[in-house]
Every structure is written in structure tokens, then in C-alpha cells.
């Protein structure tokens, strides 16, 4: 199946509250003079495998996000999200194409290569996510006391876009929500349901802007790419 044959929606999740940004709205914060979310939607729109974009945001931010998404090279719709991330993803999936690439609105530095590899793997096996190996030593602890040191050769930091067959991830997310499962990403729902997820090569520069420090790092990466 070639890139032109794949009908894939990019579902961009931009409905969070940015609690760790010290009062900064990370999605509207400037990244080299352009809002982070605009950079993100432009990155997804530039990927040949993406057919359309669906941006999920808070109800109080619909008009601002719609204005921010004007003039893209591909069709884009903006829809209100739900109370949780999983519910917001379901809102975006409601009218998605056969495949859905679910992406964090605060990951503006994703590349076409990362997107293409994840989509190709999802077409092959049903679910895929980019990831990078963990290089730091990780400790598992409780109440400040170390319990164990996992083998870091088996550990990966998972990124987005996480790509799925739309009908399957829609069904699995509904099941996970009904079960009250704590989901930190969409692959977690697939794993809980016993469905396979393939990891594809991620990119250390495909960082998620979560803190003010991340925004400064993203700015440096962006300027390094464009100079």
C-alpha cells in the first residue's frame, strides 16, 4: 500500500490544561514567533501520508484554535474534547478515516520520517508508536526507597504520533474508559486489551513541551534546523 493509498487522519490532542507550565499556555506560546500548536499542525499537514487533520481542543478555545489553523494545505476540523485525554481522543476519532495518527499538540518538532514509519507499521500490524531508547539509569522506588533498577536495554520512551486502525482504537478506548483504566497514552489501552503494538524509530528532538524548560529547548532545536 503506497502513501497515496492510505487514508489517515491526524488527530491532534490539544485539550489539556498545561498544569506544569507555570501559567504559560504552551499550545499558544510562540516557537520562533509562531504558536506551538500551529507549528504542530503544520508538521502533520506536511506529511504525505496524512489526508486530513482533526484538532481536539477545549470548548473555550475553539474559536482561537480555528483561527490558528486557517490556511493549511490539507483539510482541518476543530472539535471540542472531553473530560479526560482518552475521551478527547474519542471525540477526534468520531469522524476519522480508516487509520488515525494520534499526536500531542505540544510536539511541534515531529518529522515526516517519524510519521511515515509509524503509519507504515500500523498498516502492517494494526498499532504502532515511535520510541527512543532510554539512556538514563532508571530506579523504581516507593516512599523514596529504591526497589529495583530495571534493565535499561529493555526500556523505551514512547512518543507520538501513535497510529492505529481507527475502528480498533475507538473500540479499545471505549472499553478502557468503561473499565476505569488509568491511561497515560493510547497504546496503553491496546496493551491492556492484549493487542500488539509495534515500536518504530522515534527522534530525540520529537520532544513534548511540558515545562518552560522544554519550550526553551524546542526553540533552540527549531532555530538549529532553520539556520
Amino acid at each position: 500500500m503506497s502513501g497515496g493509498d492510505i487514508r489517515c487522519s491526524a488527530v491532534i490532542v490539544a485539550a489539556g490544561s498545561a498544569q506544569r507550565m507555570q501559567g504559560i499556555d504552551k499550545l499558544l506560546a510562540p516557537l520562533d514567533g509562531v504558536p506551538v500548536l500551529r507549528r504542530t499542525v503544520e508538521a502533520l499537514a506536511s506529511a504525505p501520508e496524512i489526508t486530513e487533520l482533526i484538532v481536539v481542543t477545549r470548548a473555550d478555545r475553539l474559536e482561537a484554535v480555528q483561527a490558528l489553523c486557517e490556511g493549511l494545505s490539507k483539510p482541518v476540523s476543530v472539535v471540542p474534547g472531553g473530560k479526560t485525554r482518552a475521551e478527547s481522543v474519542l471525540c477526534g476519532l468520531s469522524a476519522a478515516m480508516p487509520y488515525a495518527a494520534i499526536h500531542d499538540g505540544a510536539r511541534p518538532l515531529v518529522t515526516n520520517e517519524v510519521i511515515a514509519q509509524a503509519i507504515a507499521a500500523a498498516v502492517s500490524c494494526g498499532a504502532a508508536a515511535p520510541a527512543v531508547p532510554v539512556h538514563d539509569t532508571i530506579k523504581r522506588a516507593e516512599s523514596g526507597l529504591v526497589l529495583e533498577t530495571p534493565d535499561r536495554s529493555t526500556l523505551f520512551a514512547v512518543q507520538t504520533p501513535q497510529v492505529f486502525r481507527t475502528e480498533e482504537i475507538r473500540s479499545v478506548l471505549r472499553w478502557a474508559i468503561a473499565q476505569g483504566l488509568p491511561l497515560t497514552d493510547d497504546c496503553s489501552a491496546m496493551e491492556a486489551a492484549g493487542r500488539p503494538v509495534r515500536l518504530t524509530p522515534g527522534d530525540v528532538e520529537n520532544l513534548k513541551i511540558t515545562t518552560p524548560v522544554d519550550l526553551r529547548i524546542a526553540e533552540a532545536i527549531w532555530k538549529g534546523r532553520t539556520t
Side-chain angles (χ1 to χ4, degrees):
M1 185 179 291
S2 68
D5 296 327
I6 300 170
R7 297 175 62 227
C8 183
S9 302
V11 177
I12 301 172
V13 187
S17 58
Q19 295 179 354
R20 287 170 285 184
M21 284 295 291
Q22 301 176 12
I24 301 171
D25 189 332
K26 63 183 179 183
L27 295 174
L28 300 182
L31 178 57
D32 196 24
V34 174
V36 165
L37 182 56
R38 175 70 189 198
R39 295 288 192 198
T40 300
V41 296
E42 287 177 347
L44 271 294
S46 72
E49 296 79 7
I50 297 297
T51 306
E52 65 169 9
L53 296 93
I54 303 169
V55 183
V56 187
T57 190
R58 299 198 313 257
D60 64 342
R61 206 156 53 179
L62 281 173
E63 290 186 8
V65 172
Q66 286 170 341
L68 184 147
C69 293
E70 290 180 355
L72 289 174
S73 60
K74 292 178 180 175
V76 57
S77 56
V78 181
V79 300
K83 294 180 180 179
T84 66
R85 186 186 186 282
E87 291 174 354
S88 291
V89 170
L90 277 176
C91 291
L93 290 171
S94 62
M97 291 184 166
Y99 288 89
I102 304 170
H103 189 64
D104 298 319
R107 285 190 194 267
L109 300 170
V110 66
T111 64
N112 284 359
E113 183 178 12
V114 168
I115 296 167
Q117 289 175 321
I119 292 175
V123 170
S124 173
C125 73
V132 293
V134 171
H135 298 297
D136 292 333
T137 297
I138 303 297
K139 303 290 185 181
R140 192 172 72 85
E142 288 183 4
S143 303
L145 295 177
V146 173
L147 299 179
E148 65 172 329
T149 304
D151 178 4
R152 66 184 179 188
S153 69
T154 66
L155 301 176
F156 292 83
V158 179
Q159 304 176 339
T160 66
Q162 298 181 3
V163 188
F164 309 90
R165 296 185 184 115
T166 299
E167 284 297 331
E168 186 171 14
I169 187 59
R170 187 186 291 137
S171 174
V172 168
L173 280 175
R174 287 171 178 162
W175 168 81
I177 292 170
Q179 296 294 315
L181 299 181
L183 302 176
T184 55
D185 70 346
D186 305 295
C187 285
S188 298
M190 296 290 285
E191 296 157 26
R195 312 288 178 88
V197 177
R198 180 173 297 171
L199 296 184
T200 58
D203 183 346
V204 293
E205 293 188 353
N206 182 24
L207 60 85
K208 182 179 181 182
I209 297 173
T210 305
T211 69
V213 171
D214 297 329
L215 188 57
R216 293 197 293 272
I217 294 171
E219 183 89 14
I221 293 170
W222 181 268
K223 288 183 177 178
R225 289 181 178 181
T226 56
T227 59

